[in-house]
Every structure is written in C-alpha cells, then in structure tokens.
Amino acid sequence: MEGKKIIAVDFDGTLCKDCYPKIGDANEGLIARLKELHRQGDRLILWTCRQGERLEEALHFCLDRGLSFDAVNENLPEIIEQYGSDSRKIFADVYLDDRCERIGWIS
C-alpha cells in the first residue's frame, strides 16, 4: 500500500447534510472525489456512529451513488492482522468529519 492512504470518513454532516436520523442531501463533490481516490487505490473506511438499521440506510445511500468502502466502523483486515486486534480507534492516514477543524483538502 505504499503511497496509498487509508481514509476514514464520517457520514452525517460529511457525506451528507446532517439531518439525523434522516439522511440529508448528498455531498456530491466529496463523494465524487472519494470514488476517484478509491479507484486510484486509496482505502476507504466508513466511520460513523450509525448502527443497525440506520447504518444500513447509510450504506445503501452510499452504494446508490457508487461509493463503496473497504471497512465499516472497523479497521482494515491488514491493520487488524498487523496489530493482533481490532482496536476501537480506527487507524487511518486521514479522518474526514464535519466536527474536525478542516475537511476542505479533499472536496
């Protein structure tokens, strides 16, 4: 994976407008950029507080737009193998979240 990034991306407020428990309008620019990065070999993790039915809704929302993930609310298999467990902290090179100070680099 040399030269490739692991990107952990939040759902509500990042991939879509924050309207929890509903799903807001899609952040089409970010979704398009993430799809491009994924095609280029970067790995994507959906990193969200959603669970159960709400998580399934979010996954369908993304898949309907052609955005898929290498992991959902867990570390990538190779990271789990490397460290011997699936830590609660998601290992990534980049974290995209509406609650962070800056997400503009990718949109």
Side-chain angles (χ1 to χ4, degrees), residues 42-93:
D42 287 340
R43 307 292 296 278
L44 303 179
I45 299 173
L46 181 61
W47 177 48
T48 178
C49 292
R50 286 179 176 251
Q51 49 189 322
E53 184 179 325
R54 301 287 184 225
L55 177 57
E56 290 301 316
E57 293 168 352
L59 288 169
H60 286 293
F61 173 91
C62 293
L63 288 174
D64 287 348
R65 287 157 181 79
L67 180 61
S68 61
F69 299 93
D70 300 292
V72 176
N73 287 340
E74 64 183 12
N75 284 291
L76 296 172
E78 58 269 30
I79 299 299
I80 295 170
E81 183 177 336
Q82 180 179 351
Y83 292 102
S85 68
D86 187 15
S87 167
R88 292 184 325 146
K89 181 176 180 180
I90 299 297
F91 177 88
D93 300 298

Side-chain angles (χ1 to χ4, degrees), residues 2-3 7 12 14 18 23 26 31-32 35 50 52 54 57 60 66 69 77 81 95 101-102:
E2 187 158 326
I7 302 169
D12 295 288
T14 304
D18 189 358
I23 295 177
I31 291 170
K35 287 168 41 179
R50 286 179 176 251
R54 301 287 184 225
E57 293 168 352
H60 286 293
F69 299 93
E81 183 177 336
Y95 300 87
E101 189 171 318
R102 181 173 175 223

Side-chain angles (χ1 to χ4, degrees), residues 5 19 25 39 46 61 64 68 80 83 94 98 106:
K5 290 183 175 70
C19 295
D25 294 333
R39 280 191 298 275
L46 181 61
F61 173 91
D64 287 348
S68 61
I80 295 170
Y83 292 102
V94 176
D98 61 306
I106 197 164

Side-chain angles (χ1 to χ4, degrees), residues 25-44:
D25 294 333
N27 184 342
E28 299 291 353
L30 178 58
I31 291 170
R33 182 70 173 125
L34 288 172
K35 287 168 41 179
E36 178 184 331
L37 291 170
H38 204 212
R39 280 191 298 275
Q40 294 173 2
D42 287 340
R43 307 292 296 278
L44 303 179

